[in-house]
Amino acid sequence: MKNYTNISDLSNLQDTIKDAILLKMNPFEHIDLGKHKTLVLLFFNASLRTRLSTEKAAKNLGMQTMTLNVNDAWQLEFEDGTTMNANTSEHIKEAARVISQYADVIAVRAFPGLKDKRKDESEQVINSFLKYATVPIVNMESATAHPLQALADAITISELTEKAKPKVVLSWAPHPRALPQAVANSFVEMMQLLEVDLSITHPEGYELNPDITKTTPIYHDQEEALKDADFVYVKNWSNYEHYGEILSQDTNWMMTQKKLGRAKFMHCLPVRRNVVVEDAVLDGNQSVVMHQANNRTYAAQIVLKQILEQMNLS
Ligand code: CP
């Protein structure tokens, strides 16, 4: 694998999941693979899990890591041909090439602005790194995708399912802030590739990008959608049609133990207690959020392993 910016970069998903589970059993087996290689992690936005799990994954492979909160550096310009006489001090053309001299792999987190759908969907930041960097790029959550989270979620469901084809429901939840669609997008795309019975439930008007949901069944009746679910993935996203707006904060959509039934509860974290999900669910034994967070390391590790192996072949 040359880059991991979207799920489609995985050439064999089933083998990747199996190999990630093997890495989990023996995380230091490939400690020499990343020797004398450096991962630079660039954060345009906050992170707890992605930062620590990706650093840990790299170290498990023997890589060195350097992490930069980009807001502490020079403000970057991404537009071509701009006269840079305002706030931006450094163009991505120089920055990406400079960082490529220090890094063997660059990982980038850059959330959407949620103001301009077309601009966010152009994935300007991650695509600029793909264009101008001279080393592989890993997406640590971009404007529209969170493929490392989705891979961790796929590993989690593969490990915990008791059925050949579990019923998986993505359920929208209220939230006081406008959040990206990235986690939901990548989760849907990932589940569409797995042997699961996937459906989505959200209030009317909260449809995700139809190019992503495709033929996945959508329910506006949450109770109907959750019936007989094996895994319930709860996530807020801001409105896609009225882009970035909050049109509902209906507390009836919060996940409760009663609604969850016997299903396992999933969430990418961080999560707002008693807004997105009630305490009883998070504190109960059907919650697998810690399992998901742990799998973030092995999702990142299998991705970095495949990239390093490809580099060794080139
Ligand atoms: N789930 C996730 O990406 O967590 P962080 O935002 O803390 O990295």
Side-chain angles (χ1 to χ4, degrees), residues 178-238:
L179 298 188
Q181 295 91 19
V183 169
N185 287 345
S186 291
F187 183 73
V188 168
E189 288 181 315
M190 179 61 84
M191 291 303 114
Q192 287 168 343
L193 297 174
L194 293 182
E195 192 64 15
V196 304
D197 172 14
L198 174 67
S199 51
I200 306 171
T201 181
H202 54 66
E204 280 191 48
Y206 262 86
E207 275 71 12
L208 292 161
N209 182 347
D211 292 339
I212 288 175
T213 54
K214 297 192 177 91
T215 57
T216 298
I218 294 169
Y219 295 85
H220 298 135
D221 182 336
Q222 190 188 34
E223 193 181 326
E224 187 189 354
L226 294 175
K227 200 163 170 285
D228 299 326
D230 297 298
F231 294 89
V232 175
Y233 200 106
V234 176
K235 185 73 187 81
N236 169 268
W237 57 88
S238 58

Side-chain angles (χ1 to χ4, degrees), residues 46-51 109 141 146 149 268-270 296:
S47 171
L48 187 157
R49 279 144 290 274
T50 304
R51 176 174 176 161
R109 164 165 282 198
E141 189 172 347
H146 198 353
Q149 180 67 53
C268 60
L269 303 180
R296 289 296 307 274

Side-chain angles (χ1 to χ4, degrees), residues 145-310:
H146 198 353
L148 284 175
Q149 180 67 53
L151 182 54
D153 298 335
I155 296 165
T156 303
I157 290 175
S158 300
E159 286 180 313
L160 298 180
T161 188
E162 292 163 8
K163 289 183 182 168
K165 190 172 183 180
K167 177 173 175 179
V168 177
V169 181
L170 172 64
S171 184
W172 182 91
H175 198 282
R177 294 185 59 197
L179 298 188
Q181 295 91 19
V183 169
N185 287 345
S186 291
F187 183 73
V188 168
E189 288 181 315
M190 179 61 84
M191 291 303 114
Q192 287 168 343
L193 297 174
L194 293 182
E195 192 64 15
V196 304
D197 172 14
L198 174 67
S199 51
I200 306 171
T201 181
H202 54 66
E204 280 191 48
Y206 262 86
E207 275 71 12
L208 292 161
N209 182 347
D211 292 339
I212 288 175
T213 54
K214 297 192 177 91
T215 57
T216 298
I218 294 169
Y219 295 85
H220 298 135
D221 182 336
Q222 190 188 34
E223 193 181 326
E224 187 189 354
L226 294 175
K227 200 163 170 285
D228 299 326
D230 297 298
F231 294 89
V232 175
Y233 200 106
V234 176
K235 185 73 187 81
N236 169 268
W237 57 88
S238 58
N239 204 277
Y240 179 72
E241 193 183 340
H242 300 274
Y243 190 64
E245 291 182 25
I246 299 174
L247 298 185
S248 172
Q249 292 199 340
D250 186 349
T251 55
N252 290 318
W253 280 81
M254 181 179 80
M255 189 51 54
T256 63
Q257 186 62 47
K258 187 163 176 235
K259 285 194 229 175
L260 186 66
R262 54 161 197 82
K264 291 189 167 46
F265 171 80
M266 300 183 75
H267 191 284
C268 60
L269 303 180
V271 68
R272 292 191 183 226
R273 284 175 172 255
N274 303 310
V275 175
V276 170
V277 53
E278 70 175 3
D279 280 339
V281 173
L282 276 172
D283 296 333
N285 57 16
Q286 289 163 246
S287 170
V288 298
V289 297
M290 291 301 141
H291 202 110
Q292 287 173 269
N294 188 35
N295 280 338
R296 289 296 307 274
T297 298
Y298 307 102
Q301 193 169 334
I302 194 64
V303 163
L304 290 171
K305 178 174 175 283
Q306 290 184 12
I307 288 172
L308 290 169
E309 285 169 343
Q310 176 71 37

